């Protein structure tokens, strides 16, 4: 009678929440078939463990937020490496009449940056080109580099693109509509119903904003 009561309690623990309701029948059947071979101490431990599992399941289902952790960032950089001093010299030659030019260049010298990365050589960077040409280049390169970084991140995490539920893309260089997130998701092969959020024109604060959005997405 005591063992039967503990088995009944065990099944109750499994079925109190819908989150674990699907496992109640297999667990109940397994213990009913072996109840006569289990001692009271064993059943007490099993009941205690399942109660803990139940509490963790309820907490996971009802929690308004999800943990946000950065795991092994995947970094993809543009091909052209340009020393900071070369950039400063080129800007001085290009913007000869700019007010407070030397003050701005002095700030660049004290930025702690030794090199910068660009998708084009320095001479082309300062060349006169229409906005449409520059923005078109941005659209292509943002998607290319973003896709490369995302694929490497997926490989490092050992998951497939269709397992991703939410994609947040941060960029402040140019303008796209749809944003780069839509094209990157397509290139990766993500599910059509994936949630996407593009964050643009936030500068250096974009990364912090992205983490805040992911944490609150629930």
């Amino acid at each position: 009678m005591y063992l039967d009561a503990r088995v009944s309690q065990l099944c109750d623990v499994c079925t109190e929440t819908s989150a674990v309701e699907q496992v109640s029948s297999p667990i109940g059947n397994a213990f009913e078939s072996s109840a006569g071979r289990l001692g009271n101490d064993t059943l007490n431990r099993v009941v205690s463990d399942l109660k803990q599992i139940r509490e963790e399941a309820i907490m996971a289902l009802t929690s308004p937020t999800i943990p946000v952790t950065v795991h092994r960032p995947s970094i993809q950089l543009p091909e052209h490496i340009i020393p900071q001093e070369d950039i400063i010299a080129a800007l001085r030659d290009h913007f000869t009449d700019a007010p407070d030019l030397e003050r701005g260049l002095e700030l660049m010298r004290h930025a702690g940056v030794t090199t910068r990365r660009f998708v084009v050589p320095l001479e082309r960077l300062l060349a006169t080109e229409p906005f449409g040409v520059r923005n078109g280049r941005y659209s292509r390169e943002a998607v290319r580099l973003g896709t490369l970084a995302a694929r490497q991140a997926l490989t490092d995490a050992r998951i497939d693109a269709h397992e991703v539920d939410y994609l947040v893309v941060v960029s402040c260089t140019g303008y796209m509509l749809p944003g780069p997130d839509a094209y990157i998701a397509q290139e990766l092969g993500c599910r059509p119903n994936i949630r996407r959020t593009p964050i643009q024109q936030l500068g250096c604060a974009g990364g912090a904003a992205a983490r805040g959005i992911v944490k609150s997405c629930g």
Side-chain angles (χ1 to χ4, degrees), residues 102-216:
E102 288 302 322
R103 182 182 178 185
L105 296 179
E106 192 64 20
L107 289 174
M108 291 183 64
R109 288 192 180 93
H110 291 85
V113 176
T114 56
T115 60
R116 294 183 184 271
R117 295 267 192 159
F118 296 94
V119 298
V120 295
L122 180 57
E123 58 272 15
R124 188 175 178 185
L125 184 68
L126 298 175
T128 301
E129 291 181 325
F131 171 76
V133 174
R134 290 178 176 271
N135 200 61
R137 184 184 304 127
Y138 157 75
S139 299
R140 294 188 299 273
E141 294 297 330
V143 173
R144 180 179 70 87
L145 292 171
T147 301
L148 288 174
R151 281 178 177 159
Q152 185 59 54
L154 292 172
T155 299
D156 293 342
R158 297 180 181 179
I159 63 174
D160 295 324
H162 70 269
E163 298 179 77
V164 177
D165 299 313
Y166 199 179
L167 175 65
V168 181
V169 177
V170 180
S171 178
C172 63
T173 304
Y175 301 88
M176 292 180 66
L177 186 64
D181 57 298
Y183 295 94
I184 292 173
Q186 185 177 37
E187 289 291 326
L188 293 175
C190 296
R191 302 192 313 269
N193 63 343
I194 186 176
R195 295 177 61 186
R196 297 180 286 104
T197 296
I199 300 177
Q200 296 183 276
Q201 316 318 319
L202 278 186
C204 297
R211 288 199 64 186
I213 287 177
V214 173
K215 184 177 181 180
S216 62

Side-chain angles (χ1 to χ4, degrees), residues 66-72 211 214:
I66 60 175
V68 179
T69 306
V70 177
H71 292 284
R72 192 178 176 182
R211 288 199 64 186
V214 173

Side-chain angles (χ1 to χ4, degrees), residues 27-97:
I27 292 177
N29 293 338
F31 277 92
E32 285 174 352
S33 63
S34 59
R37 297 191 299 272
L38 293 176
N40 294 340
D41 292 341
T42 301
L43 279 176
N44 284 333
R45 287 196 300 270
V46 172
V47 169
S48 177
D49 290 343
L50 283 176
K51 282 184 177 180
Q52 182 177 352
I53 293 172
R54 169 184 172 274
E55 291 172 358
E56 292 175 355
I58 292 175
M59 183 177 298
L61 289 173
T62 59
S63 175
T65 61
I66 60 175
V68 179
T69 306
V70 177
H71 292 284
R72 192 178 176 182
S74 171
I75 300 174
Q76 295 291 331
L77 300 173
E79 293 78 6
H80 298 277
I81 306 174
I82 304 175
Q84 179 84 324
E85 285 301 323
D86 290 357
I87 298 173
I88 291 174
L91 291 176
R92 178 185 288 110
D93 294 341
H94 191 79
F95 297 104
T96 54
D97 298 328

